[in-house]
Amino acid sequence: MQRQLTLDLGTPPPATFDNFFAASNHELVTRLRELEGALAAGPVADRTFYVWGEPGSGRSHLLQALVHEATGRARFLSPQSALTAFGFDPRVTLYAIDDCDDLSGAQQIALFNLFNEVRAHPTSALVATGSAAPMGLSVREDLRTRLGWGLVFHLTALTDEGKASVLKHAARERGIALADDLPNYLLTHFRRDMPSLMALLDELDRFSLEQKRAVTLTLLRDMTRTGPAPASAGRITGDEEPPPVPDAPDTPHDEPTDLFGDPLSIESVSASPEMGSPRASTRFK
């Protein structure tokens, strides 16, 4: 198996709803975005959520976005949180609990009690995440039952095809003439999570402007191996050299296919927030 390369691209931006790509998760994203406002407007029937999905699907991103964009008091909890942090506070509007299936036994009991308190206070809400549907969670039976009481959403991760479409759409928004073969190459040889891919696209954009060259595999090779880009452009870690990149001209080939006319439209992967159409500095956690 070919070893994937990583780039040191600095600290990623905060997780927000705008830099999350909703794909087929529009209803969930919309509900979470509107949750705090709905609580402020009056009684809300659905105030407890359980979101499950595979690693990399964006569970943590959504919880962090919920807390980051809250105008009132919100609390993010995880297996690394102190047991006392699971105590109910009537001043807290939103509770976001990540990886609840990795909580310790004591934390699970505390979450069970917190869940009951939230249900009893109509001005608060709770959103929890895990790696499996409630019935498949390795947690206490009473907690599993509580998690299944509210709204349950399966968070669907982007496919490789979807990731490639997002990269192409983001490139078009930046005015980048992205070589057709570049997205698949990035997915094959670099970290595959969307925050890393979008950060790499940003660096390619900057480097191409500095070099006044098209964004091609050759440019990527120069940026990661020998290019004169500053340290912010990222460096390859590990002992291996980057995989060979075929020498290609820095200008697009004269072919019938328009570099921007990719048949995979972004609407097939992101039609709402994520939410909304991706913006110029989009990331995905």
Side-chain angles (χ1 to χ4, degrees), residues 36-110:
E36 186 180 31
L39 289 171
V44 177
D46 300 314
R47 294 184 293 108
T48 59
F49 295 73
Y50 176 69
V51 181
W52 64 281
E54 63 186 32
S57 58
R59 291 176 289 151
S60 297
H61 184 123
L62 285 179
L63 289 189
Q64 292 170 9
L66 183 68
V67 172
H68 177 76
E69 299 191 4
T71 56
R73 294 193 61 178
R75 183 181 297 174
F76 183 91
L77 301 169
S78 73
Q80 288 71 48
S81 300
L83 185 60
T84 55
F86 288 81
F88 180 77
D89 184 340
R91 296 169 298 175
V92 175
T93 303
L94 299 171
Y95 292 90
I97 300 90
D98 204 13
D99 298 326
C100 63
D101 43 337
D102 289 333
L103 297 176
S104 68
Q107 287 174 326
Q108 290 181 35
I109 294 174

Side-chain angles (χ1 to χ4, degrees), residues 242-258:
V245 181
D247 288 319
D250 288 329
T251 55
H253 289 294
D254 252 342
E255 295 180 358
T257 304
D258 185 351

Side-chain angles (χ1 to χ4, degrees), residues 185-218:
Y185 185 87
L186 296 178
L187 288 169
T188 302
H189 298 294
F190 292 86
R191 291 194 311 221
R192 298 164 53 82
D193 61 286
M194 287 308 300
S196 297
L197 290 170
M198 296 304 296
L200 181 54
L201 181 63
D202 286 339
E203 290 301 323
L204 279 168
D205 184 17
R206 180 199 55 75
F207 190 62
S208 70
L209 291 174
E210 288 181 356
Q211 300 297 308
K212 296 181 174 59
R213 296 161 56 191
V215 180
T216 63
L217 291 179
T218 300

Side-chain angles (χ1 to χ4, degrees), residues 17-269:
F17 289 120
D18 284 334
N19 61 28
F20 181 90
F21 297 96
S24 58
N25 303 297
H26 307 312
E27 181 184 356
L28 169 62
V29 171
T30 300
R31 282 181 175 271
L32 293 182
R33 293 191 82 153
E34 298 176 350
L35 181 56
E36 186 180 31
L39 289 171
V44 177
D46 300 314
R47 294 184 293 108
T48 59
F49 295 73
Y50 176 69
V51 181
W52 64 281
E54 63 186 32
S57 58
R59 291 176 289 151
S60 297
H61 184 123
L62 285 179
L63 289 189
Q64 292 170 9
L66 183 68
V67 172
H68 177 76
E69 299 191 4
T71 56
R73 294 193 61 178
R75 183 181 297 174
F76 183 91
L77 301 169
S78 73
Q80 288 71 48
S81 300
L83 185 60
T84 55
F86 288 81
F88 180 77
D89 184 340
R91 296 169 298 175
V92 175
T93 303
L94 299 171
Y95 292 90
I97 300 90
D98 204 13
D99 298 326
C100 63
D101 43 337
D102 289 333
L103 297 176
S104 68
Q107 287 174 326
Q108 290 181 35
I109 294 174
L111 177 56
F112 173 81
N113 293 329
L114 176 60
F115 190 100
N116 291 334
E117 290 282 2
V118 169
R119 297 274 294 188
H121 289 76
T123 57
S124 60
L126 182 150
V127 182
T129 71
S131 61
M135 292 304 295
L137 284 176
S138 299
V139 297
R140 294 169 53 94
E141 182 60 31
D142 53 4
L143 178 58
R144 181 187 300 111
T145 301
R146 293 297 188 277
L147 293 173
W149 273 4
L151 295 177
V152 178
F153 286 89
H154 179 207
L155 187 60
T156 306
L158 285 173
T159 63
D160 283 357
E161 185 179 77
K163 290 178 181 179
S165 292
V166 167
L167 286 171
K168 293 170 184 176
H169 178 80
R172 287 194 293 269
E173 287 196 328
R174 291 161 171 78
I176 302 174
L178 193 67
D180 289 338
D181 52 355
L182 193 54
N184 288 335
Y185 185 87
L186 296 178
L187 288 169
T188 302
H189 298 294
F190 292 86
R191 291 194 311 221
R192 298 164 53 82
D193 61 286
M194 287 308 300
S196 297
L197 290 170
M198 296 304 296
L200 181 54
L201 181 63
D202 286 339
E203 290 301 323
L204 279 168
D205 184 17
R206 180 199 55 75
F207 190 62
S208 70
L209 291 174
E210 288 181 356
Q211 300 297 308
K212 296 181 174 59
R213 296 161 56 191
V215 180
T216 63
L217 291 179
T218 300
L219 183 75
L220 173 63
R221 179 194 61 189
D222 290 345
M223 188 185 82
T224 56
R225 294 183 62 182
T226 60
S232 63
R235 63 175 182 272
I236 294 177
T237 62
D239 301 327
E240 296 184 11
E241 287 292 316
V245 181
D247 288 319
D250 288 329
T251 55
H253 289 294
D254 252 342
E255 295 180 358
T257 304
D258 185 351
L259 288 175
F260 292 131
D262 192 278
L264 301 174
S265 68
I266 189 62
E267 286 75 14
S268 65
V269 293

